[in-house]
Structures are given as structure tokens and as C-alpha cells.
Amino acid sequence: MIAAGFEYAAPDSLDEAIRLLGEGGEDAKLLAGGHSLIPLMKVRLAAPTLLVDLRRVPGLRGVSSEDSELRIGAMTAHAELADAKAGLLATAAGQIADQQVRNRGTIGGSLAHADPASDLPAVVLAAEGRVALKGAGGEREVAAADLFEDYLTTAVRADEVITEVRVPKLPGYGFGYEKFARRSEDWAMVGVCALVKATDGTCEDVRVGLTHMGSTPLRAGAVEEALRGRPLDAGRIGEAAEQAAEGTSPPGDLNATPDYKRHLARVLCRRALAEAAGVS
Ligand SMILES: Cc1cc2nc3c(=O)[nH]c(=O)nc-3n(C[C@H](O)[C@H](O)[C@H](O)COP(=O)(O)OP(=O)(O)OC[C@H]3O[C@@H](n4cnc5c(N)ncnc54)[C@H](O)[C@@H]3O)c2cc1C
């Protein structure tokens, strides 16, 4: 399959990238790792007339620790994130596809593409992270809870670049990540991430994110509600996890029916919570 023709630019500053995006309008697209956009272009589901490659733009890579949060440059590759001291984010990034994809794919590209089957969006949502954006109109921050609007659709405007992903460090939280796929290194049929903070065996806080259970990444609010403030034991976790699919509309596909995905969500949620809470 061959993509439709397009212009290509590789600016060496963020301001220049934003200027080019503005000039190109709706038909211009940023290029990061290219591992989602290029496949779409090859099957002509996307046909941008201009690609603005971010690879030469300085300051968009790396993971840094600032006071209470981790700051991850948008062009940080999954492999680099997987190797960083980044807890749940690193664990999830290490389970994305294979080494080649992890070497090229970026966190900014993953969040901007907003595929509900992707691993990182649900993690950033559960951790209550934010993205920093810069565009012709200036800079702003968008909370992950407001970022994912629909299938492959986000609040990022056509002339904006995600520059950084900001995620609270959440000291004292345990975490678990469970991803189910037919073959190793495949996309998640369903994924569940859990963050749990416990004091003297009682759940002080819990956050659960669901991958591929709807048109966007989701929080499992009913599970969180069932556990917060309650003693944490295997029985209580099992009961709470039974509500993992509540309020979801998982898409059926070649790999799984919606009912099977709901079943997976319940099972994976129990495992991720048990891991996060250190309960066997
Ligand atoms: C074989 C294969 C298997 C995969 N398996 C998985 C998997 O198991 N789990 C998973 O999570 N992902 C998986 N992926 C997707 C991979 O993680 C992608 O790299 C990622 O989704 C997109 O990142 P990218 O850097 O490649 O973005 P690109 O493809 O370059 O861009 C994707 C979209 O985001 C926009 N964009 C990119 N960067 C920015 C930015 N900084 N600001 C604003 N918009 C931006 C682009 O314009 C484009 O619309 C797989 C990909 C392949 C090819």
C-alpha cells in the first residue's frame, strides 16, 4: 500500500513546527514515531498534505522528576519510558508491542492518537495526569480526564503540539498492570491498570483505568467507589472487581465479543488490584 503524496518538513524549533502546522491547517499533521500515522496513511485512512516531523525539535525528549510529578517529553519513546523510574507508566510502556515499536513510538503520539486499545492513555487517565500543549494561541494544560473525547479524537487542536506529559508521582501507591492479548506483543484485547494507597490495611485511595473497554480509555468508577475507605482483602477486592465493566461499552472485534471483554475486565481488574494492594 502506498500513501497519497504529501509535503514533508522537519523544523528545528517548536515555534517553527507550530507555524508550519498553522499554515498547513486541518490538512497538516505532526509526525512523531510514525507508528500509528504512517500505517493509516498507507491504507489511505489518513491523507495529510503536509507532515511536520518533530524529531529535530529540541527539548521534547526525556523523563525528569520535578517535585511532586514526573515530566515526560512528548517525543520520549516507549522504550526510554520503560527504562525510566516511572512506576506504572514504565511497566505499561514495557508491554507495548515489540522492541522495534517501543523504540519508535512516543508517549505524545500515543496520547494524541487516542486509540482506546493503546496502553498509555488509560494509565495517564488513572494517574490523573495532564498534557502540556503549545500552539499559535499560546500554552495550556489539559487534564487527561478532559483529553480523550471519542475514538481517535482528543481535545488537542489542529495547530497544537503536545510538548509534555505531567503525571503525579503518587508516593505510597502500589500499582498493577494487566494486559490480555491473544499473542504476546499484540494490542490489548483488554487492559487494566490499578493504583492503590493503603494505610493499616485500609484503602485510602484507588484508581483503576480500563483499556479497550469503550471508544476512549475509561476509569472504573464503580470499582473505585466500592474499595475507597474499606479494608483491603482478597474477598473485598474480588467483589469490587466484579463491577469493572459497569458503564462500559466495549467494542466487539475479531478477537473478542463485548461480553468476553467484560469478563476479561473483571478478571484483570481483580489481578491488577491484588498486585497493587499486595494482597494474594
Ligand atoms: C505493529 C504495531 C503494534 C503496536 N502495538 C501497540 C500496543 O500494543 N500498545 C500501544 O499502546 N500501542 C501500540 N502501537 C502503537 C504505538 O505505540 C504508536 O507508536 C503510538 O500509538 C503512536 O505514537 P507515534 O509516536 O508513533 O505517533 P505517530 O504515528 O507519529 O502520530 C500519531 C498521531 O499523533 C499525532 N501526534 C504525534 N505526536 C504529537 C504531539 N507531540 N502533539 C500532538 N499530536 C501529535 C500525529 O499527528 C498523529 O495524528 C503499535 C504500533 C504498531 C505499528
Side-chain angles (χ1 to χ4, degrees):
M1 296 278 202
I2 298 172
F6 57 89
E7 297 290 315
Y8 172 85
D12 51 20
S13 76
L14 185 56
D15 287 345
E16 181 63 359
I18 292 165
R19 192 188 65 75
L20 287 164
L21 265 189
E23 269 181 22
E26 294 283 339
D27 291 331
K29 277 270 178 202
L30 291 170
L31 180 68
H35 270 46
S36 292
L37 181 55
I38 302 290
L40 283 184
M41 289 170 64
K42 283 186 160 186
V43 293
R44 304 216 177 186
L45 286 173
T49 52
L50 170 66
L51 285 189
V52 181
D53 194 336
L54 289 173
R55 76 194 156 92
R56 285 197 193 148
V57 174
L60 295 183
R61 275 175 218 273
V63 181
S64 64
S65 172
E66 308 272 334
D67 302 327
S68 60
E69 63 186 14
L70 290 176
R71 295 188 165 200
I72 305 139
M75 285 292 282
T76 305
H78 306 321
E80 194 181 341
L81 184 55
D83 287 343
K85 287 198 173 82
L88 174 58
L89 270 171
T91 297
Q95 293 189 35
I96 294 174
D98 52 41
Q99 191 66 43
Q100 280 173 307
V101 174
R102 292 195 291 274
N103 283 344
R104 298 288 303 181
T106 66
I107 188 168
S110 179
L111 299 192
H113 190 60
D115 186 330
S118 288
D119 295 86
L120 295 179
V123 171
V124 176
L125 179 71
E128 299 181 359
R130 297 158 291 136
V131 293
L133 298 162
K134 189 168 182 191
E139 297 181 40
R140 66 185 180 121
E141 264 194 357
V142 174
D146 300 321
L147 181 67
F148 305 107
E149 294 183 334
D150 203 347
Y151 182 70
L152 305 186
T153 307
T154 68
V156 180
R157 298 178 188 134
D159 73 339
E160 283 182 322
V161 180
I162 298 177
T163 54
E164 198 169 70
V165 182
R166 299 170 180 165
V167 180
K169 286 186 193 162
L170 302 176
Y173 283 70
F175 64 86
Y177 190 66
E178 292 287 328
K179 172 177 179 173
F180 191 84
R182 271 186 66 214
R183 299 170 307 182
S184 127
E185 303 181 343
D186 264 358
W187 294 85
M189 254 189 237
V190 172
V192 179
C193 64
L195 286 152
V196 174
K197 184 170 191 182
T199 307
D200 298 330
T202 297
C203 177
E204 206 177 298
D205 189 27
V206 54
R207 297 141 184 231
V208 178
L210 303 174
T211 291
H212 218 181
M213 287 295 290
S215 58
T216 64
L218 298 170
R219 287 278 288 266
V223 176
E224 296 176 1
E225 192 61 32
L227 281 180
R228 210 170 274 124
R230 306 242 158 69
L232 277 173
D233 55 46
R236 185 88 59 174
I237 285 175
E239 277 170 33
E242 281 302 303
Q243 300 178 57
E246 206 166 279
T248 65
S249 321
D253 54 38
L254 283 176
N255 288 321
T257 61
D259 269 350
Y260 184 49
K261 286 189 176 177
R262 289 188 195 98
H263 166 74
L264 284 176
R266 291 189 282 268
V267 172
L268 299 178
C269 184
R270 176 171 46 76
R271 292 180 189 164
L273 283 168
E275 196 183 339
V279 169
S280 48

